[in-house]
């Protein structure tokens, strides 16, 4: 018996519900509390604390057709221990090591060995790019294509497409205006997708010459027949070479891994961990460029990006991330406080966690957005964070890059700008959030995905 087993066996009553325990128990039979976490401090590094309030526990069973899956304990997923399912009484959540997340206001442990990377090199781009993609709050042709089908670029739509620069000239087959000669927005300048109850929108913003964000959304059917929804959002690190390729590769790899693992019965938290590892490998592979290419640009960093993802089932919400993209939780009825479910891998977050600065001071510093975790061949060490939650009421999960949360940083601010009908109109609501960032200045690429919780059975919602 390991030392952890011996310590768990020494407990006579569950620290959570006070139920009697039997010798050798690792989990409480009444509430599922992780006795190993209570008996001994975890040996690894836990995920950082949730920044705001906890997600409430469930108070009523799911409706017919949306019953909870009986998930087994997730197998060991990383160096900090085994990923475990969030039980109703183990709130606010569990981390990748199965340990409770620190309570609100407690400092989060710093991760050892993390480097710092600035997202954008000074003077790397002009300040303004006046030619913009269409406003995301208006209808966009091709925005509601079948799931998995890319929306067509503006230049490939109807032959009567009008130039977005002069608003008069016809756009030719090469993507240029026949009147003023302006090149039209590229496909990734503005992207929209809707897949069942999940929707996502990405926009280049007002100051970048290209969109280095990427996303992937999809749906799966779990072994028990209940549905699951998936969203992955990636933000390319602009100081690296080919950040747009990195974010695209990572989002596709992570999404494919999740959509393949979930129907096989893999625990969603374990599947999320595997998805992040797969995404990291796909970005690492981009660094394997020919030697001749490296000779022409020897000082360039390897392709890199951040990643954040969410899996929503009938009764379980799982999030995973590396970097400073975020997940927010907003209850539909707004009767409970919203919450941020991720903690940034950033300089600012480390300063706050160490107690060296207040949050306001840290995020006002010019070094605030220097990231300490990313996917890429030059990352010091891959540290995937995962956490699982069981909310007690319907809500909306907001998965986004810093291009959005820079303009709605706290959970309360995000809830204010999120439309109240977001659970019923996710695509419209995603457009509204992107529009909010553009109205605020659009200094960065903006990407957001919305997932209603609990996920509706397939066939419900828009398609």
């Amino acid at each position: 018996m390991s030392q952890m087993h011996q310590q768990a066996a020494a407990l006579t009553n569950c620290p959570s519900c006070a139920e009697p325990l039997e010798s050798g128990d690792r989990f409480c039979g009444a509430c599922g509390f992780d006795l190993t976490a209570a008996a001994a401090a975890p040996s690894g590094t836990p995920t950082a604390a949730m920044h705001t309030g906890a997600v409430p526990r469930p108070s009523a069973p799911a409706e017919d057709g949306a019953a909870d899956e009986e998930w087994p304990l997730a197998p060991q997923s990383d160096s900090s221990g085994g990923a475990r399912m969030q039980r109703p009484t183990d709130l606010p959540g569990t981390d990748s090591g199965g340990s409770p997340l620190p309570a609100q206001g407690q400092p989060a442990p710093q991760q050892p060995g993390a480097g710092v990377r600035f997202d954008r090199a000074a003077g790397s781009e002009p300040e303004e790019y006046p030619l913009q993609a269409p406003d995301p709050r208006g209808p966009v042709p091709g925005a509601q294509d079948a799931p998995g089908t890319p929306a067509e670029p503006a230049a490939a739509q109807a032959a009567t497409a009008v130039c977005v620069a002069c608003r008069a000239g016809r756009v030719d087959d090469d993507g240029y205006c026949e009147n003023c000669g302006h090149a039209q927005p590229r496909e990734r300048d503005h992207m929209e997708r809707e897949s069942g109850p999940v929707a996502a929108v990405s926009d280049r913003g007002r100051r970048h010459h290209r969109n280095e964000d990427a996303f992937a959304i999809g749906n799966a059917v779990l072994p028990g027949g209940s549905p699951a929804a998936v969203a992955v959002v990636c933000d390319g690190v602009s100081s690296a070479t080919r950040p747009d390729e990195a974010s695209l590769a990572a989002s596709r790899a992570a999404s494919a891994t999740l959509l393949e693992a979930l129907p096989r019965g893999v625990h969603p938290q374990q599947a999320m961990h595997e998805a992040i590892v797969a995404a990291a490998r796909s970005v690492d592979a981009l660094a394997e460029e020919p030697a001749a290419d490296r000779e022409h640009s020897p000082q360039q960093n390897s392709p890199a990006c951040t990643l954040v993802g969410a899996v929503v089932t009938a009764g379980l919400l799982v999030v995973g991330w590396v970097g400073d993209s975020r997940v927010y939780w907003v209850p539909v009825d707004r009767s409970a406080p919203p919450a941020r479910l991720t903690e940034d891998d950033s300089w600012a977050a480390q300063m706050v966690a160490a107690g060296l600065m207040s949050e306001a001071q840290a995020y006002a510093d010019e070094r605030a957005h220097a990231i300490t975790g990313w996917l890429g061949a030059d990352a010091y060490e891959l540290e995937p964070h995962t956490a699982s939650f069981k909310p007690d009421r319907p809500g909306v999960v907001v998965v986004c890059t810093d291009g959005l949360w820079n303009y709605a940083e706290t959970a309360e601010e995000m809830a204010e700008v999120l439309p109240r009908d977001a659970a019923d109109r996710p695509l419209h609501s995603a457009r509204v959030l992107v529009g909010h960032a553009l109205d605020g200045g659009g200094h960065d690429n903006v990407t957001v995905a919305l997932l209603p919780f609990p996920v509706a059975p397939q066939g419900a919602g828009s398609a």
Side-chain angles (χ1 to χ4, degrees):
M1 182 183 294
S2 68
Q3 180 68 22
M4 186 171 289
H5 288 178
Q6 294 171 7
Q7 291 170 325
L11 297 174
T12 58
N13 294 89
C14 173
S16 176
C17 66
E19 284 292 315
L21 302 173
E22 294 183 6
S23 177
D25 283 350
R26 298 184 64 194
F27 296 88
C28 175
C31 70
F33 186 80
D34 184 352
L35 302 175
T36 61
S43 58
T45 304
T47 302
M50 280 176 54
H51 194 67
T52 55
V55 178
R57 60 179 180 269
S59 57
E63 296 181 2
D64 293 341
D68 289 354
E69 290 286 320
E70 292 298 325
W71 293 109
L73 294 178
Q76 189 167 11
S77 62
D78 60 27
S79 59
S80 61
R84 296 193 167 43
M85 183 175 72
Q86 175 64 30
R87 300 291 182 178
T89 54
D90 298 342
L91 296 171
T94 55
D95 66 9
S96 304
S99 303
L101 296 175
Q104 181 180 1
Q106 292 183 0
Q110 297 187 54
Q111 297 180 12
V116 176
R117 185 170 200 162
F118 286 90
D119 180 65
R120 192 170 309 283
S124 60
E125 292 183 358
E127 263 308 291
E128 296 285 351
Y129 287 91
L131 182 59
Q132 297 300 311
D135 191 300
R137 288 157 291 187
V140 177
Q144 300 189 35
D145 292 334
T149 303
E152 292 185 352
Q157 291 166 5
T160 56
V162 176
C163 172
V164 301
C166 69
R167 303 291 181 181
R170 175 183 172 276
V171 179
D172 62 24
D173 294 338
D174 294 330
Y176 290 86
C177 175
E178 294 180 346
N179 179 50
C180 68
H182 268 97
Q184 301 305 289
R186 292 162 290 190
E187 178 180 2
R188 288 183 65 175
D189 283 359
H190 185 86
M191 300 179 292
E192 299 187 0
R193 304 286 186 277
E194 192 171 33
S195 179
V198 189
V201 176
S202 181
D203 192 89
R204 187 184 75 189
R206 301 196 183 281
R207 299 205 174 187
H208 287 235
H209 74 288
R210 64 181 175 186
N211 190 355
E212 295 167 358
D213 288 357
F215 66 81
I217 58 176
N219 299 276
V221 178
L222 303 176
S226 59
V230 170
V232 177
V233 170
C234 297
D235 184 353
V237 177
S238 295
S239 59
T241 183
R242 294 145 56 204
D244 53 332
E245 295 181 34
S247 62
L248 185 62
S251 62
R252 287 177 172 175
S255 173
T257 300
L258 287 168
L259 295 177
E260 188 274 333
L262 293 172
R264 291 193 288 108
V266 177
H267 188 286
Q269 194 168 355
Q270 177 68 19
M272 179 63 74
H273 177 92
E274 294 173 359
I276 296 174
V277 173
R281 289 172 179 163
S282 71
V283 179
D284 290 351
L286 296 177
E288 299 173 1
E289 57 189 6
D293 293 344
R294 289 195 297 271
E295 290 175 0
H296 287 98
S297 54
Q299 304 303 320
Q300 285 190 325
N301 293 322
S302 299
C305 68
T306 67
L307 181 147
V308 65
V311 175
V312 172
T313 70
L316 186 68
L317 163 60
V318 171
V319 300
W321 73 99
V322 173
D324 62 349
S325 294
R326 295 180 176 180
V327 178
Y328 293 85
W329 160 261
V330 181
V332 167
D333 59 11
R334 310 296 171 100
S335 61
R340 170 150 65 95
L341 305 183
T342 59
E343 188 70 24
D344 301 343
D345 289 323
S346 70
W347 180 91
Q350 285 197 345
M351 293 299 102
V352 175
L356 300 176
M357 286 183 168
S358 68
E359 184 174 7
Q361 291 172 328
Y363 281 98
D365 193 283
E366 61 182 8
R367 297 164 291 182
H369 290 278
I371 57 175
T372 56
W374 63 88
L375 305 182
D378 60 354
Y380 284 79
E381 184 179 0
L382 178 62
E383 290 283 350
H385 309 294
T386 63
S388 55
F389 305 89
K390 277 198 167 183
D392 72 339
R393 67 198 68 205
V396 177
V397 181
V398 181
V399 185
C400 65
T401 62
D402 60 347
L404 171 60
W405 66 253
N406 276 331
Y407 300 97
E409 187 170 338
T410 68
E412 291 74 18
E413 290 170 335
M414 187 64 70
E416 279 187 26
V417 298
L418 181 70
R420 289 187 172 269
D421 60 355
D424 300 318
R425 303 176 66 196
L427 180 58
H428 164 78
S429 300
R431 290 171 178 165
V432 170
L433 292 180
V434 171
H436 173 77
L438 297 180
D439 289 346
H443 284 67
D444 201 354
N445 307 143
V446 189
T447 302
V448 60
L450 299 181
L451 304 88
F453 178 91
V455 64
Q458 288 197 350
S462 52

